Amino acid sequence: MSDSLLPYAVGAANRARRVAVRMRRRVERLQTAPAFASGIRPRPALKAVHLSVLGGRTLNVALVAPPAVDVTAAHLEFVRGGRHLRLDLDVEPQGDGTRLLTATTALRYTDRGDLPDTPGEHGPGRAGMALFGGLWRIGVVLTGADGREVRAGVGAVALPTTDGPTAPVSPSPDSGAHFRIMRSVDGFAVLKVRAPVHQAELDRFDLRWDRIVVHGRVIARQGPTSGYTAQAVRRGGGTVVQAPVEWRGDAFTFDVPLAEMVAGGRSYRWDMQLAHGRTGLKIGRRLTDVRRRHQVIRTTFRIIALEDGTLLRAHAYITSAGALAVSCVAFEGAPHGAEEVA
């Protein structure tokens, strides 16, 4: 390298280092929960070999048992306010003489505070730990061979920050709630629960030869389903075309109103929405850990024949923001193309 270019290389390296430091500090702030109220006594922390919420709803725990305690039983405690939730841990001896405390359970959101404190007691099909919104402190209760109990916290773990195909934190695909492992300011692991937001989740769309059918569900529904209507909103012009909706609980199905969308003979892009009052909820795929949904969920153009014989070229796809959009245009000079071809 030429001596004249050396100062520029050094400057670029210093700038890159400063950017990396700022990004690391920003990630640490995002993963750090605010301080809890004073009065909590200091406690030891168990090392977490693994602590994560996978798939947006499955809690996986693996802790190293302290060698000073002959652990015969153990359980996790999740504490928020007056609520204490309990999750039993399995004691697993390892080949090196250590013991791991492990557990796996489903997490689900609730806005009730009167459910049982132990997972599996919520009725058929409702197994899992029910949590309401807020920060939950995570503690461990160890029972020794002499019957005495020892309490400890769980040390915080670092979340991966690599830009891979999936996100390390994603919403629950069932409820839309967020369950996120974070760290407290004193270095302990905490669980942050965020309530689901009002949205329209896309389950799938069917590309048929005579129509496009949209299947989805409303998350955090507000009021009866009769207050929701399906509509296609044209980008740029604001034209709105409504479509009849069929409901089954919170799940909805409707046919994209292609005949009205191709009126005028020009190609437009339309956003699929559920209207609730003055609010237009864009229908999209959001309850997933896939980062670049528009690159993963790829669809082809389809030639569709409407009931009146009109042929049109339609493309239903997922945008970079995860929303469902449809572009369509009728074939020029062939308003009854299917009949003419025949």
Side-chain angles (χ1 to χ4, degrees), residues 42-214:
R43 61 198 190 283
L46 298 189
K47 178 183 178 181
V49 176
H50 186 85
L51 180 60
S52 66
V53 178
L54 300 179
R57 59 184 174 185
T58 304
L59 176 67
N60 293 274
V61 183
L63 309 175
V64 179
V69 181
D70 184 12
V71 181
T72 59
H75 66 266
L76 283 180
E77 281 188 339
F78 295 83
V79 182
R80 175 168 171 76
R83 287 283 287 169
H84 290 69
L85 303 183
R86 172 173 172 164
L87 176 64
D88 291 334
L89 294 167
D90 295 327
V91 181
E92 300 182 4
Q94 304 298 299
D96 58 358
T98 61
R99 287 164 295 175
L100 286 183
L101 310 176
T102 64
T104 298
T105 187
L107 301 177
R108 61 188 183 87
Y109 175 78
T110 181
D111 55 2
R112 296 172 52 188
D114 58 348
L115 295 177
D117 290 345
T118 304
E121 299 180 0
H122 309 304
R126 304 298 291 171
M129 183 171 292
L131 303 165
F132 50 81
L135 288 173
W136 293 78
R137 290 187 289 116
I138 304 176
V140 185
V141 180
L142 308 173
T143 303
D146 56 1
R148 292 193 302 174
E149 291 186 344
V150 176
R151 294 182 176 272
V154 176
V157 295
L159 289 178
T161 57
T162 57
D163 187 18
T166 58
V169 179
S170 60
S172 168
D174 292 334
S175 65
H178 281 74
F179 302 96
R180 180 173 183 172
I181 299 294
M182 302 183 68
R183 63 179 295 131
S184 64
V185 292
D186 52 355
F188 290 93
V190 295
L191 178 63
K192 181 179 181 179
V193 181
R194 193 179 73 188
V197 298
H198 189 208
Q199 58 187 300
E201 176 68 8
L202 173 68
D203 289 333
R204 75 178 195 274
F205 56 89
D206 301 332
L207 297 175
R208 302 179 181 176
W209 296 110
D210 61 344
R211 71 191 68 184
I212 300 175
V213 186
V214 178

Side-chain angles (χ1 to χ4, degrees), residues 262 264-267 310-313 329-337 340:
V262 297
R266 294 184 59 186
S267 177
T310 301
L311 289 178
L312 57 90
R313 186 173 183 262
V329 61
F331 282 101
E332 227 177 291
H336 299 285
E340 294 179 6

Side-chain angles (χ1 to χ4, degrees), residues 233-314:
V233 180
R234 195 181 77 189
R235 293 188 185 181
T239 302
V240 177
V241 178
Q242 295 189 347
V245 190
E246 296 181 3
W247 291 92
R248 180 177 295 178
D250 289 336
F252 60 84
T253 303
F254 68 90
D255 292 347
V256 176
L258 295 171
E260 293 81 1
M261 291 163 58
V262 297
R266 294 184 59 186
S267 177
Y268 294 106
R269 294 183 178 181
W270 302 75
D271 291 312
M272 300 296 107
Q273 297 184 0
L274 276 187
H276 182 257
R278 296 184 178 181
T279 302
L281 301 175
K282 286 189 177 182
I283 301 172
R285 180 65 64 86
R286 301 178 183 88
L287 306 187
T288 177
D289 60 354
V290 178
R291 289 184 185 271
R292 301 172 181 86
R293 286 152 288 186
H294 65 294
Q295 296 180 0
V296 176
I297 306 174
R298 306 299 294 268
T299 58
T300 60
F301 289 83
R302 176 63 60 91
I303 305 300
I304 294 179
L306 302 181
E307 289 185 358
D308 63 356
T310 301
L311 289 178
L312 57 90
R313 186 173 183 262

